[in-house]
Amino acid sequence: MKVAITLVVGVALGVLTVKSVTAQVQRRPNIIVILADDLGYADIGTFGAPNIRTPRLDAMAAEGQKWTSFYVQPVCSPSRAALLTGRLPVRNGMFGAPGGTAPKVFRDNAAQGLPTEEVTIAELVKSAGYTTGMVGKWHLGQLAQFLPMRQGFDSWFGVPFSHDMRMTVPHDKGLQTEAYYSPKPEYWDVPLMRNNEVLERPVDHRTLTKRYTDEAVRFITEKRTRPFFLYVAHSLPHIPLARSDGFVGHSAGGIYGDVVEEIDWSVGAVLDALRQAGIEENTLVIFMSDNGPWLPFRDHGGSAGPLREGKGTTWEGGVRTPAIFWWPGTVRPGVVTDIGSGLDVMPTAAALAGALPPSDRTMDGFDLSPVLKGTGPSPRHELFYYWDNELRAVRKSRYKAHFITSGAYGEGEPRTTYTPPLLFDLATDPGERFNIAAAHPDVVSDLVRTADTHRRTVVPTQPLFDAILPTPQKR
Ligand code: MG
């Protein structure tokens, strides 16, 4: 009898009613992206760190999915732009003038920012009814009109750019400047901001991980009853390294290890807050880094483990990041070796939030939710590696072709072009040591064609990183 009544009601009220009931039962998930800064591929336990203990991240990976071929852009600002927009930096000016002197990111006196016409994850899910919050480093333009509050975030607590910018002491020894290795807060004039107001200046770097964590936990607790998107962009372990008192000497891996172990604690605090709020089975948490380790900083930089090179290059060590997806009861636990990219976070978030990514522009990401749920393989089969607006390498399946290589920021290995390209089999040679181009001309031809096809989709845009204000702006 009960069944019969249900059927009659269903027919009478029609499809719309059935759909709205389904939507109530399956509440759209919260989405949290935790981004480390300059963390290397092998800097956490589950990705091979021999001397850094990260029990919370290791457990997160064991309970969720650990992606071993997940990629980002080779340096901070382009990587953050790609993550938030699902578009390659070459499409929206998120690069420096080739051959120019800009540091290939937005500077502390940048006159430009991520163009406001771009649609960020925050804007997209906000339009679908999500509450949006950001904690941490922005680095997509320091002027008020480019800050997070103008890019879809309801709230922001953090710093507008890297905490090694606006240096107040001499640094004529470049990366070997002593201040980087014995930092004091007053060596940098970096503001800590809440929304559009400066809270503190200079910020005390040693407090950042702890305070970002407190803010993230408070956001989760306060917003737990509605779908939310939270972007936690740690300032560390980017140099200058700093950790709170409780983590001094915490690690067997020196100060760099201390810093990473505090971030591990922070990730644990976020997951604990979700459990405390009873929303862990309705929240996707993604952990990743923005780019590879900054190797010239030696023991103040991280490690890419078996991968070649680091930050600022299109070798694997510059762009392959440790990535973890966690969502108890929904993400099928396991190790994923399929290719994924930070570009895919925006379309994945859109699918989960029930929002449509913009259709009036070229998107470069894919919805990874079938992989997360264990219902299908990664839709991504190709990967394009850029430095500035220069396509330097292409990966397709297990093979990667390099057309151009160089050391980070023009140092070390000189810029070299290859015709035919270098070819590596990343399945058997993730360290990119053995060029096999001569033995596989068919694979080389295919990758050259793939690069040519991709280049035809790119409409030239102006580089935005070189535009700076005439004098440093005071807030
Ligand atoms: Mg970085």
Side-chain angles (χ1 to χ4, degrees), residues 118-318:
E118 291 295 318
V119 178
T120 67
I121 298 175
E123 287 168 322
L124 188 78
V125 302
K126 191 176 164 70
S127 71
Y130 276 54
T131 300
T132 58
M134 175 175 175
V135 175
K137 166 178 159 179
W138 177 238
H139 214 181
L140 288 173
Q142 54 94 26
L143 291 176
Q145 63 265 36
F146 296 114
L147 289 177
M149 306 299 286
R150 299 294 293 272
Q151 297 282 17
F153 289 98
D154 297 327
S155 62
W156 171 47
F157 174 90
V159 296
F161 40 74
S162 301
H163 65 286
D164 67 333
M165 292 182 155
R166 266 186 214 170
M167 206 161 181
T168 59
V169 292
H171 48 286
D172 47 1
K173 291 185 184 161
L175 304 186
Q176 305 316 324
T177 295
E178 181 57 24
Y180 291 129
Y181 300 92
S182 304
K184 292 181 179 169
E186 60 268 28
Y187 292 173
W188 292 270
D189 187 24
V190 176
L192 177 69
M193 302 182 67
R194 184 181 298 284
N195 302 334
N196 293 315
E197 304 299 323
V198 174
L199 289 180
E200 176 179 314
R201 179 178 178 164
V203 68
D204 185 341
H205 309 147
R206 295 166 296 192
T207 67
L208 281 177
T209 300
K210 174 76 166 61
R211 283 201 279 181
Y212 288 170
T213 307
D214 292 346
E215 290 286 330
V217 166
R218 185 180 315 142
F219 180 93
I220 291 165
T221 307
E222 287 179 3
K223 312 298 183 192
R224 65 186 182 280
T225 57
R226 290 186 54 187
F228 63 75
F229 168 60
L230 174 62
Y231 173 39
V232 183
H234 283 286
S235 288
L236 292 153
H238 189 295
I239 58 94
L241 297 179
R243 69 288 201 216
S244 61
D245 289 345
F247 284 87
V248 174
H250 194 270
S251 174
I255 185 172
Y256 187 89
D258 288 352
V259 172
V260 174
E261 292 186 12
E262 186 166 21
I263 288 176
D264 181 69
W265 162 82
S266 172
V267 171
V270 167
L271 302 188
D272 289 347
L274 292 171
R275 290 193 174 101
Q276 196 87 38
I279 54 174
E280 76 278 17
E281 292 191 354
N282 198 40
T283 305
L284 169 65
V285 184
I286 305 171
F287 176 87
M288 55 193 275
S289 181
D290 67 333
N291 51 252
W294 209 349
L295 298 177
F297 282 99
R298 308 184 306 242
D299 61 345
H300 281 233
S303 167
L307 306 180
R308 184 163 171 176
E309 264 288 354
K311 172 178 176 173
T313 76
T314 45
W315 295 103
E316 292 292 288

Side-chain angles (χ1 to χ4, degrees), residues 35-39 73-77 79-80 105 137 139 162 234-235 237-238 289-292 294 311 409:
L35 190 70
D37 195 344
D38 293 5
L39 181 79
Q73 308 302 313
V75 64
C76 291
S77 297
S79 195
R80 287 149 208 272
V105 294
K137 166 178 159 179
H139 214 181
S162 301
H234 283 286
S235 288
H238 189 295
S289 181
D290 67 333
N291 51 252
W294 209 349
K311 172 178 176 173
Y409 300 106

